[in-house]
Amino acid sequence: MTNLSIAIPDSCLIESQTILDKSYKISQISRSCSIFCVNKIIIYHDSSVKAENMDKKILKTILEYLDTPPYLRKKIYPKMWILKHAGILPPIKSPHHKALIDIKKIRNQEIRFGFVVKQNDSLYVDVGLEKLIKYKGNQLGKKVLVKITNNAQLLAEDISKENVDGYWGYDVQFADSLSALLENTESEVLMTSVEGSQFTRHVNDFMSKIKASKNLLVVFGGPKFGLRKILECESKKISSSNNFMNMFPMQGTQTVRFEEAILGTLSIINNYLHA
Amino acid sequence: MTNLSIAIPDSCLIESQTILDKSYKISQISRSCSIFCVNKIIIYHDSSVKAENMDKKILKTILEYLDTPPYLRKKIYPKMWILKHAGILPPIKSPHHKALIDIKKIRNQEIRFGFVVKQNDSLYVDVGLEKLIKYKGNQLGKKVLVKITNNAQLLAEDISKENVDGYWGYDVQFADSLSALLENTESEVLMTSVEGSQFTRHVNDFMSKIKASKNLLVVFGGPKFGLRKILECESKKISSSNNFMNMFPMQGTQTVRFEEAILGTLSIINNYLHA
């Protein structure tokens, strides 16, 4: 399994004027990442345009909200204006968005996302069932991934996504700049741009590199400027090791929109990753 | 160049309640078709669900409206409630959506879409410039593709898309049923379904067939039921010649939405068509 991450600029909502428009756009990003089992979304600072500072917070909050299993959303997120329209966005329905089941039917070693609460000086985790489960850990007030063991009593302990099979949603992080992100990543990088070389001409070489690295970071430019310009504003250039590629050869429209580029690019990549 | 068509069910708006929601969904379909130079969109009748009859008309009208060059839209489309939100949808900006230019700068043999009008018993075509151009043809009141020749006087005559290089937008047609559509097509058919075989396992064979046929029809199921069920409701089965394929192996969400399937599938296909 390839560990797939994407990087998007903090300017990506710049063309959306209202919180409703922004919510819909973020929902499309979230769905694309969930469909194609993206593990990490990195929001990098784009200094080529002046985007609203609040957009970063809106992006991260709604992306994380949509990735959160519905049974935990009300517990983790207080009423906040950013989430005003989050309720009407299309659901993700990833495997970690589990249903309510009878607590007696819980399997030994079952994995669930939960939220850690304190009761009578003990920590418990709410995993969306009728009862809280005793929690052996120290992340009070946090969203946690737990393994539930059933030895006479149910007990939940922290487990890391890397140690569990299957797809468990994405994490969201910030990066200070595109060049810092590129310097610090250990992944093979795919930079998408209409100015890039045609992907299909390089796909065999590229896929061999991915098979060796097992980590792929796909980087997208912004609605206003592409990756070359964003790097130029950081006094950097595209490096030949960065796989600067055009995923939409012979496009019949002047531009491919940001959210279209994400879904389209990940569709193509997914197809090769599972070939 | 492969001649690319897609077929979508007339039930594809069934989950959208308002004309605003429907408009946005149709806009996404229109953009996907324009990005990937789809020549024909066939709306087939889906008898597996009971969709609103009006949806067919909404689909065709908004799809055709969005494909129409902006300079002709007000002339061709009267005020109608179906197009209430069409003005706020993202633009297509295909090459045939040409800009206003000084009529003196029009090149000999230039191709434009126009709208045929009558003045003083003569036919003229409005091609979005300051003046009407004399029209040698008989399609009064119709949207036409014309070649403009400049021999002392400008003269426009009909030309067919097939006889012009480049992408000139899509046409929209209806089909009575999915099985009728499949029986009558001369194209190589790709039927997309989560139940299908993994596309990447068959892509080489499939692409050889496309190269021979030069015509590809990509068929999509509906938001409620997939292609197998829709055919069953017509007492038909998937045939082995129909290339019944899954384009989204290992998907991390329960479903891939209709509009996502179109953009994702066409991204993959386009990538191979231009390899």
Side-chain angles (χ1 to χ4, degrees):
Chain A
M1 274 292 281
T2 306
N3 176 25
L4 181 60
S5 306
I6 71 165
I8 59 177
D10 60 5
S11 63
C12 68
L13 302 177
I14 202 162
E15 289 179 344
S16 306
Q17 303 305 316
T18 65
I19 184 69
L20 179 64
D21 280 355
K22 292 176 208 240
S23 302
Y24 272 119
K25 186 163 284 201
I26 298 169
S27 160
Q28 287 175 272
I29 302 168
S30 170
R31 279 204 48 89
S32 295
C33 290
S34 304
I35 293 171
F36 300 112
C37 304
V38 166
N39 291 311
K40 204 190 290 174
I41 304 175
I42 302 164
I43 302 166
Y44 65 87
H45 179 59
D46 169 10
S47 47
S48 72
V49 286
K50 200 152 173 51
E52 284 178 59
N53 212 4
M54 181 53 81
D55 280 358
K56 280 174 72 164
K57 188 174 178 193
I58 295 174
L59 251 177
K60 186 164 191 279
T61 306
I62 301 183
L63 281 174
E64 288 179 339
Y65 174 89
L66 290 172
D67 179 66
T68 300
Y71 63 78
L72 286 183
R73 288 179 181 171
K74 280 197 181 146
K75 287 151 191 165
I76 296 182
Y77 293 91
K79 277 218 166 183
M80 53 201 291
W81 68 270
I82 291 179
L83 296 173
K84 192 174 160 188
H85 300 291
I88 59 163
L89 301 174
I92 300 295
K93 293 190 191 153
S94 279
H96 65 291
H97 291 197
K98 294 192 172 186
L100 178 73
I101 55 167
D102 185 334
I103 200 161
K104 288 182 203 120
K105 290 195 175 147
I106 210 151
R107 285 172 295 110
N108 189 28
Q109 313 259 327
E110 177 156 346
I111 314 286
R112 276 189 170 244
F113 272 101
F115 183 67
V116 182
V117 295
K118 196 173 202 170
Q119 266 190 8
N120 306 326
D121 277 342
S122 294
L123 293 184
Y124 292 86
V125 62
D126 180 341
V127 292
L129 306 177
E130 308 103 56
K131 278 190 190 164
L132 298 175
I133 292 178
K134 189 114 178 138
Y135 168 68
K136 188 178 153 189
N138 55 12
Q139 302 195 68
L140 178 60
K142 293 263 173 66
K143 178 175 143 191
V144 289
L145 187 64
V146 291
K147 181 167 79 176
I148 303 163
T149 47
N150 193 346
N151 273 328
Q153 188 199 12
L154 291 176
L155 182 67
E157 57 186 325
D158 292 331
I159 190 162
S160 135
K161 281 184 191 178
E162 290 75 46
N163 298 326
V164 196
D165 285 342
Y167 179 58
W168 292 88
Y170 53 75
D171 294 316
V172 185
Q173 293 178 2
F174 289 119
D176 291 336
S177 69
L178 178 53
S179 47
L181 169 67
L182 294 175
E183 278 156 30
N184 295 326
T185 186
E186 287 170 13
S187 296
E188 195 62 36
V189 172
L190 172 65
M191 298 184 78
T192 61
S193 168
V194 66
E195 299 173 42
S197 316
Q198 192 176 319
F199 179 67
T200 38
R201 304 235 165 95
H202 304 273
V203 66
N204 292 336
D205 279 358
F206 179 70
M207 291 314 299
S208 328
K209 290 192 243 172
I210 301 299
K211 289 228 161 84
S213 153
K214 296 204 189 307
N215 291 286
L216 171 58
L217 171 65
V218 186
V219 187
F220 297 91
K224 293 271 185 205
F225 298 113
L227 290 171
R228 186 191 298 278
K229 176 75 187 276
I230 293 173
L231 272 185
E232 270 172 21
C233 290
E234 299 175 8
S235 308
K236 293 279 157 60
K237 284 187 176 164
I238 303 280
S239 135
S240 62
S241 66
N242 285 157
N243 303 300
F244 189 62
M245 305 275 182
N246 177 18
M247 310 305 288
F248 302 97
M250 306 292 286
Q251 70 189 51
T253 54
Q254 196 177 309
T255 52
V256 175
R257 291 163 69 87
F258 177 75
E259 63 277 20
E260 292 164 345
I262 293 183
L263 179 65
T265 299
L266 294 181
S267 299
I268 295 166
I269 298 293
N270 181 65
N271 202 48
Y272 287 108
L273 290 181
H274 299 292
Chain B
M1 274 294 280
T2 306
N3 176 24
L4 182 60
S5 305
I6 72 165
I8 60 178
D10 59 5
S11 64
C12 69
L13 302 177
I14 203 164
E15 291 179 342
S16 306
Q17 303 305 316
T18 65
I19 184 69
L20 180 64
D21 280 354
K22 291 177 210 241
S23 301
Y24 272 118
K25 185 163 284 200
I26 297 168
S27 161
Q28 288 176 272
I29 301 169
S30 169
R31 279 205 46 91
S32 295
C33 290
S34 303
I35 293 171
F36 301 112
C37 304
V38 165
N39 291 311
K40 203 191 291 173
I41 303 175
I42 303 164
I43 302 166
Y44 66 86
H45 179 59
D46 169 10
S47 48
S48 72
V49 285
K50 201 154 172 50
E52 284 177 60
N53 213 4
M54 181 53 78
D55 280 357
K56 281 173 72 163
K57 190 175 177 193
I58 295 174
L59 250 177
K60 186 164 191 280
T61 306
I62 300 183
L63 281 174
E64 287 178 341
Y65 174 89
L66 290 172
D67 179 66
T68 300
Y71 62 78
L72 285 182
R73 288 180 180 171
K74 280 198 181 147
K75 287 151 190 164
I76 296 181
Y77 293 91
K79 277 218 166 183
M80 55 201 292
W81 68 270
I82 291 179
L83 296 173
K84 192 174 160 189
H85 301 289
I88 59 162
L89 300 174
I92 300 296
K93 294 190 188 151
S94 278
H96 64 291
H97 290 198
K98 294 190 172 188
L100 178 75
I101 54 168
D102 184 336
I103 201 161
K104 288 180 202 121
K105 291 196 175 146
I106 209 150
R107 285 173 294 108
N108 188 29
Q109 313 259 329
E110 178 157 344
I111 314 286
R112 277 189 169 244
F113 273 100
F115 183 67
V116 183
V117 295
K118 197 174 201 169
Q119 267 190 7
N120 305 326
D121 277 343
S122 294
L123 293 185
Y124 293 85
V125 62
D126 180 340
V127 292
L129 306 177
E130 309 101 57
K131 279 189 189 164
L132 298 175
I133 293 178
K134 191 117 177 132
Y135 168 68
K136 190 177 151 190
N138 55 13
Q139 303 194 67
L140 178 59
K142 293 263 173 68
K143 176 176 143 190
V144 290
L145 187 65
V146 293
K147 182 167 76 177
I148 303 162
T149 48
N150 193 348
N151 273 329
Q153 186 200 14
L154 291 176
L155 182 67
E157 57 186 325
D158 293 330
I159 189 161
S160 135
K161 281 185 193 178
E162 291 75 46
N163 299 325
V164 196
D165 286 341
Y167 179 57
W168 291 87
Y170 53 75
D171 294 317
V172 185
Q173 293 179 0
F174 290 119
D176 291 335
S177 69
L178 178 53
S179 47
L181 169 67
L182 294 174
E183 277 157 29
N184 295 326
T185 185
E186 287 170 13
S187 296
E188 195 62 35
V189 172
L190 171 64
M191 297 184 79
T192 62
S193 167
V194 66
E195 299 172 44
S197 316
Q198 192 176 319
F199 179 66
T200 39
R201 303 238 164 94
H202 305 271
V203 65
N204 292 336
D205 279 359
F206 179 70
M207 291 313 298
S208 327
K209 289 193 245 172
I210 302 299
K211 289 227 161 83
S213 153
K214 296 205 189 307
N215 290 287
L216 170 58
L217 171 65
V218 186
V219 186
F220 297 91
K224 294 271 186 205
F225 297 114
L227 290 171
R228 187 192 298 278
K229 176 76 186 275
I230 294 174
L231 272 184
E232 269 173 21
C233 290
E234 298 175 8
S235 310
K236 293 280 158 61
K237 285 187 176 164
I238 303 280
S239 134
S240 61
S241 67
N242 285 157
N243 304 301
F244 188 61
M245 304 277 182
N246 177 19
M247 309 305 286
F248 302 97
M250 306 291 287
Q251 70 189 50
T253 53
Q254 196 177 310
T255 52
V256 175
R257 291 163 68 87
F258 178 74
E259 62 278 18
E260 292 164 344
I262 293 182
L263 178 64
T265 300
L266 294 180
S267 299
I268 296 166
I269 298 293
N270 181 65
N271 202 49
Y272 287 108
L273 290 180
H274 300 291

